[in-house]
Structure formats: C-alpha cells, structure tokens
Amino acid sequence: MKLVLRYSPWTIFAIAAVFFLMPLFSTAEFSLSIRRGVYSLEAYESVFLDPEFAASFGYSLIIAVLTIIFGTIIVVPMAYYVRLRLQWLRPVVEIFVMLPMVVPPIVLVFGYLRLFSSSSVLPLADSSAGASILLICGCTTLSLPYLYRTIDTGLQTIDVQTLTEAAGILGARPFATIRLVIFPNILPSVMAGAFLTFAVVMGEFVIASLLTRPAFGTYIQKIGMSKAYEPAALTILSFAITWGALAMMNVMTRFSRRAG
C-alpha cells in the first residue's frame, strides 16, 4: 500500500504529461512534414518570410507593451491604496478584478462596440486608432486578474505602512512614494505580471477579430483557413511565446521571494 501511495503521484504526473505533450508533439511533427519523407523547416520559413506575419506580430507586440504600461499604471496605485488605507474594500476589489475570468471576452467587445459606435459621443470603434485603443482597454481588462494578483503578492512581501510613513517623514508626496519607494520594491512582481499580460495579449483573438485589428491571433486564424502546415508552425510558435513568458514569470517570482 505504501509503495502504491509513493509512486501514484508520479504516475498521475506521467499520465498528465503524456496527455498534454502528445498533441503538442504531434503538432510539431506535422509542422515539419511539409516535404514527404523528410523533416523540413519550410513551414516555419514560409511563416517568417510572410510580411503579414511580421506586421501582425509587431502590432501585437506594441499592443502588449502598451497594455502592460496602462495596466501597471492602474493596478499599482489601486493595490497599494487598498492594502494601505482600504483593507475593508479588499474583498470587493478582488471580486471585481476576477470578473474578467467569468465574463466572456465576446460580451466585453460587444459592449465596446455598443458604447463606442458611430452613434455615440466618442466613436472610437469607427477608426483604426480608436479600435486599437479599445483593444488595449480590452486586453487590460482580460489581464487584470493576473496583474493584480502578482502585484498584490509583491505588496505582501514588503512593509507598506512603514515605507509609506518613512517616505512621508522625508517629505515625499503619495505619487512620489509610489514611484520612488513602492514600485522599485515590487518590481519583480510587476515584471511577473507583465509577462503574464504579454502571453494573454499575444494570444488574444476574440476582441481583436471583432474590432478588425491585425493582431497575431487573427493572423493565425486567417492562415489556418487557407494553409495546412503553416498553422501548425504558428501554433508551436504561439506555445513557445506563452511558455517563454510563463518561464520568465517563474524566474521573476523566485527572484522576488529571494529579495524578500
């Protein structure tokens, strides 16, 4: 019985690993099979040489950076003041920041299209720049649970009250305290949330598609409708981006714990 209990976790882990890795391995193998009888990187070469790939990837990269900046500007002060002054409001804030995990993105984007259509006071949906702004807002909303949780965890590792009082004694105003004292101390946590946000934005399809934005997710869907091997290559690249971002998040989280 003890032997069964000892090896059962590893058995479950092995089954889960096979369940997860087999489809990924099959997709990778298919992406290399564009030439019959031999493995070839031609599908990847075709993707990288496509100007639309560079344009869509670059666009999503810019949207990701702007989303990270916008989300950090919103979440850091909010999480800071909730922990410092508004502890009684913490359960309500946590419910609201978790709503994007419950509300489907399609509901969010239809709300944007309704509120910012041509008949509204602010018709953002009718221009490319306005639609990009809405995409940034939508991606910020989708990444809010991950960004808030990582930043809030970083604030738990420092003495916010003492640091704030010390900065106040030295004459620092609230904004200066956040910028010069709090933010540098939680930077690893902010970076961890940033990498999670990056992974969310690079894989976003629903909002970008309905706003007709040339994002990386819509490019993958477009290629999948006309080609066979290139979508498999793009899927592997998308997995690599996501896992790379998660790996960097893990590194930042460990760095934050050691610093604490």
Side-chain angles (χ1 to χ4, degrees):
M1 185 65 181
K2 291 183 178 180
L3 188 63
V4 173
L5 293 175
R6 180 180 178 183
Y7 288 104
S8 59
W10 290 104
T11 303
I12 295 172
F13 176 78
I15 294 173
V18 170
F19 181 79
F20 174 78
L21 292 176
M22 282 301 293
L24 189 61
F25 176 79
S26 299
T27 303
E29 194 270 341
F30 181 76
S31 70
L32 299 173
S33 304
I34 192 170
R35 291 184 178 275
R36 183 171 299 179
V38 296
Y39 288 129
S40 171
L41 295 173
E42 189 173 328
Y44 294 88
E45 182 180 359
S46 175
V47 166
F48 286 125
L49 292 178
D50 186 359
E52 194 172 352
F53 166 79
S56 63
F57 188 86
Y59 178 82
S60 288
L61 189 61
I62 293 172
I63 294 296
V65 172
L66 293 176
T67 299
I68 290 168
I69 295 172
F70 184 52
T72 302
I73 291 173
I74 292 175
V75 173
V76 171
M78 179 179 67
Y80 166 72
Y81 279 110
V82 167
R83 182 159 292 277
L84 181 67
R85 309 285 187 195
L86 305 171
Q87 284 286 345
W88 60 272
L89 196 60
R90 183 182 176 86
V92 178
V93 172
E94 290 192 349
I95 290 174
F96 273 101
V97 298
M98 292 301 166
L99 281 178
M101 302 186 72
V102 179
V103 179
I106 193 168
V107 175
L108 177 66
V109 70
F110 270 116
Y112 284 162
L113 292 174
R114 178 77 174 178
L115 289 173
F116 301 103
S117 63
S118 57
S119 59
S120 68
V121 179
L122 193 62
L124 292 177
D126 289 347
S127 65
S128 297
S132 295
I133 293 173
L134 292 179
L135 178 59
I136 293 171
C137 294
C139 290
T140 302
T141 302
L142 293 181
S143 61
L144 188 61
Y146 314 107
L147 197 58
Y148 178 82
R149 293 305 303 171
T150 54
I151 290 175
D152 186 62
T153 301
L155 289 170
Q156 288 179 4
T157 63
I158 64 175
D159 192 341
V160 175
Q161 186 72 37
T162 301
L163 289 173
T164 302
E165 291 176 357
I169 292 172
L170 294 174
R173 294 186 177 183
F175 178 75
T177 300
I178 295 174
R179 181 170 59 89
L180 300 175
V181 179
I182 301 300
F183 186 80
N185 279 281
I186 63 171
L187 184 58
S189 297
V190 173
M191 293 299 295
F195 285 117
L196 275 174
T197 301
F198 179 81
V200 170
V201 176
M202 295 304 292
E204 173 52 38
F205 167 74
V206 175
I207 298 178
S209 176
L210 292 176
L211 290 174
T212 63
R213 293 294 81 210
F216 186 57
T218 58
Y219 172 75
I220 295 176
Q221 189 269 343
K222 179 181 178 181
I223 292 297
M225 295 177 64
S226 59
K227 297 183 179 181
Y229 298 96
E230 285 80 356
L234 285 169
T235 301
I236 297 301
L237 290 175
S238 181
F239 264 100
I241 292 170
T242 302
W243 283 98
L246 292 177
M248 292 302 298
M249 183 209 69
N250 188 37
V251 170
M252 288 297 173
T253 303
R254 290 186 179 184
F255 180 78
S256 177
R257 290 174 180 174
R258 290 179 182 177

